[in-house]
């Protein structure tokens, strides 16, 4: 059923098949999670990952600590199973890149981040010489905020996450 | 009054604007430039402006009054997550209703429309040719274009449309070296003068903040410190405004920030430890006037961000050194 849902998202199912997949995705908790997960993956691949992810801090920290592997993606024949495979694989690679790039940045900032990494070491378009060198996506936004002194709410970290000594309660 | 406004003295000029003098326009382009800067500070105005810079666009509501020589200003984002910045002279109070936090900061050198620059006109004239352009009708006001053409290619050219009566800049454009508009501010509605009420600059969140958290760290940081870093190659006209250490999200240690300006354009140089994971290659990006250049330098990572062409950011970024 996981494959069907993946195919449904890609518009590869028709008529009865689509109905079955639609019915399944909304009925079962696990499949509904898959439906959601695949959309998040899809968004991340398109560079539209939400800036605030409902993920535990520890998970995010671990993801951040992961090196980004800059190796060309192996070509897999286009079959129905491919979509699910690609989706699963992108959790490990593209998903991480997307989050590194957009973490904390507002959606409008994403094109800049993407552009930034393009000329030298784009994680999505690997350069042979830099393969396997872990380079996180640049976050222009946080420097921009410091330079222009216009703090954006989605980048702002509440005081509770900062040094407690500097937090002055009113 | 007319002769006083035409006088060269800055103080007299400021007084003229403060009195709402409409007796006569300044005599020359530098006079217009100076008056535009003074009007952003001393005039009362309220309106909405659209700011577009490269791929980004935002809409901001601004209310500004001047009371006994003190500036009171409120800006509010009309799109995206809500926030509000209330400014009294250089003190900034930034309200984040979602985080229930008031962030305190001190304005250092940032560009805020319509107060895009605060340097005296003659300082700007060291790096730009200042000329007057034609008069245009904008939002029911007549405004005259002030054209700032850079003496070299290390900065962008600027166009300011200064309202004929008050001097306030109602529209501003920054042009690339190729002459394309890359950043633009324009009022879409504007009230000028006594129709702006003093109560309008009060924070809409202020009554609720008793339960909020106050974050005073940015203001402390803005006081500035000796970072130990310097830049050895600067384009003509650029001078250091200040240096400080800023806390950026997700970093265990503050980042050194040096701010340089030629009176109109500014750039920040950030120096921080290069690690986890170590960046080995240079990278850059340009979007609108925002240029970004990052470069590994031994154990350090140097980042330059500013409203300057990439060549300027690279020149500056490659000449960062320990202060002797």
């Amino acid at each position: 059923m996981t494959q069907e849902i993946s195919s449904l998202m890609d518009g590869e199912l028709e008529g009865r098949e689509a109905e079955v997949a639609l019915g399944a995705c909304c009925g079962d908790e696990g499949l509904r999670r898959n439906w959601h997960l695949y959309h998040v993956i899809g968004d991340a691949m398109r560079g539209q990952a939400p800036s605030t992810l409902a993920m535990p801090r520890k998970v995010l920290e671990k993801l951040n600590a992961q090196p980004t592997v800059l190796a060309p993606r192996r070509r897999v024949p286009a079959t129905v199973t491919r979509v699910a495979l690609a989706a699963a694989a992108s959790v490990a690679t593209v998903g991480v890149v997307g989050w590194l790039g957009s973490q904390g940045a507002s959606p409008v900032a994403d094109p800049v981040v993407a552009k930034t990494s393009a000329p030298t070491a784009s994680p999505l378009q690997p350069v042979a010489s830099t393969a396997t060198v872990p380079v996180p996506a640049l976050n222009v936004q946080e420097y921009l905020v410091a330079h222009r002194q216009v703090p954006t709410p989605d980048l702002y970290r509440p005081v509770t996450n900062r040094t407690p000594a500097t937090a002055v309660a009113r | 009054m007319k002769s006083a406004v035409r006088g060269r003295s800055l103080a007299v000029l400021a007084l003229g604007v403060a009195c709402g003098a409409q007796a006569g326009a300044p005599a020359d382009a530098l006079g217009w430039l100076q008056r535009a800067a003074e009007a952003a500070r001393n005039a009362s105005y309220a309106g909405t402006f659209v700011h577009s810079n490269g791929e980004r666009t935002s809409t901001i509501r601004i209310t500004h009054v001047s009371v006994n020589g003190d500036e009171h200003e409120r800006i509010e984002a009309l799109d995206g997550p809500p926030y509000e910045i209330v400014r009294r002279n250089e003190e900034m109070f930034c309200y984040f209703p979602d985080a229930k936090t008031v962030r305190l900061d001190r304005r250092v050198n940032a560009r805020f429309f319509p107060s895009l620059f605060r340097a005296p006109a003659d300082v700007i004239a060291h790096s730009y040719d200042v000329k007057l352009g034609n008069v245009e009708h904008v939002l029911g006001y007549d405004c005259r274009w002030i054209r700032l053409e850079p003496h070299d290619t290390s900065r962008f050219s600027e166009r300011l449309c200064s309202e004929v009566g008050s001097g306030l800049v109602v529209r501003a454009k920054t042009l690339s070296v190729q002459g394309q508009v890359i950043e633009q501010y324009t009022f879409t509605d504007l009230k000028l003068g006594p129709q702006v009420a003093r109560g309008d600059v009060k924070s809409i969140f202020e009554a609720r903040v008793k339960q909020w958290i106050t974050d005073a760290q940015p203001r402390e940081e803005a006081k500035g410190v000796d970072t130990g870093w310097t830049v050895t190659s600067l384009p003509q006209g650029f001078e250091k405004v200040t240096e400080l250490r800023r806390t950026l999200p997700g970093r265990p240690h503050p980042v050194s920030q040096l701010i340089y300006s030629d009176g109109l354009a500014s750039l920040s140089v950030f120096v921080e430890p290069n690690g986890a994971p170590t960046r080995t290659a240079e990278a850059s990006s340009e979007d609108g006037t925002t240029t970004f250049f990052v470069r590994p330098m031994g154990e350090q990572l140097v980042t330059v961000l500013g409203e300057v062409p990439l060549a300027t950011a690279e020149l500056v970024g490659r000449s960062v050194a320990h202060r002797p």
Side-chain angles (χ1 to χ4, degrees), chain A residues 64 106 108-109 111-112 115-117 119-121 130 133-160 162-163 166-170, chain B residues 51 53 55-56 81-83 92 94 96 101 103 105-108 110 112 183 185 209 213-215 217 246 251 257 266-268 270 272 277 279 282-287 289-290 292 294 303 305 307:
Chain A
N64 280 338
S106 62
V108 282
V112 189
K115 248 170 76 183
T116 304
S117 43
T120 42
T130 57
V133 175
V135 181
L138 292 161
N139 198 335
V140 181
Q141 186 71 11
E142 44 192 51
Y143 295 100
L144 186 65
V145 164
H147 176 71
R148 291 220 165 185
Q149 287 195 283
V150 178
T152 57
D154 39 2
L155 190 66
Y156 183 72
R157 305 292 163 94
V159 189
T160 43
R162 308 181 123 206
T163 331
T166 58
V168 186
R170 279 205 172 189
Chain B
H51 175 208
N53 187 12
E55 296 179 30
R56 304 149 190 249
Y83 72 89
M92 295 163 64
C94 188
F96 295 119
T101 300
R103 180 188 186 274
D105 201 356
R106 170 170 271 272
R107 185 166 72 160
V108 181
F112 290 101
E183 185 174 18
Y185 292 90
V209 298
I213 301 159
T214 301
D215 178 8
Q217 189 176 339
R246 277 287 188 202
R251 285 178 181 61
Q257 180 182 8
S266 66
L267 59 87
S268 284
F270 300 89
E272 63 195 296
R279 186 172 292 280
E282 292 184 355
S284 63
S285 79
E286 293 170 276
D287 182 41
T289 56
T290 306
F292 184 80
V294 57
T303 304
L305 187 144
E307 300 87 40

Side-chain angles (χ1 to χ4, degrees), chain B residues 153-154 286 291 308-316:
Chain B
T153 55
S154 56
E286 293 170 276
T291 298
V308 289
L310 183 56
T312 304
E314 288 180 347
L315 172 78
V316 170

Side-chain angles (χ1 to χ4, degrees), chain B residues 1-7 13 17 21-33 35 132 135 142 144 162-167:
Chain B
M1 196 67 216
K2 191 163 183 169
S3 61
V5 173
R6 282 172 190 274
L13 200 59
V17 174
Q22 313 220 336
D28 56 10
L30 279 191
W32 276 85
L33 189 62
R35 189 177 69 147
L132 288 177
V135 174
D142 281 333
R144 181 177 286 281
S162 171
E163 199 268 316
V164 169
S166 63

Side-chain angles (χ1 to χ4, degrees), chain B residues 59-63 74-79 82-85 204-205:
Chain B
T59 314
I60 310 281
R61 182 178 291 147
I62 184 168
T63 311
R74 182 166 80 89
I75 65 171
E76 180 193 351
L78 296 186
D79 33 38
Y83 72 89
E84 179 192 76
I85 300 175
I204 55 171
F205 301 114

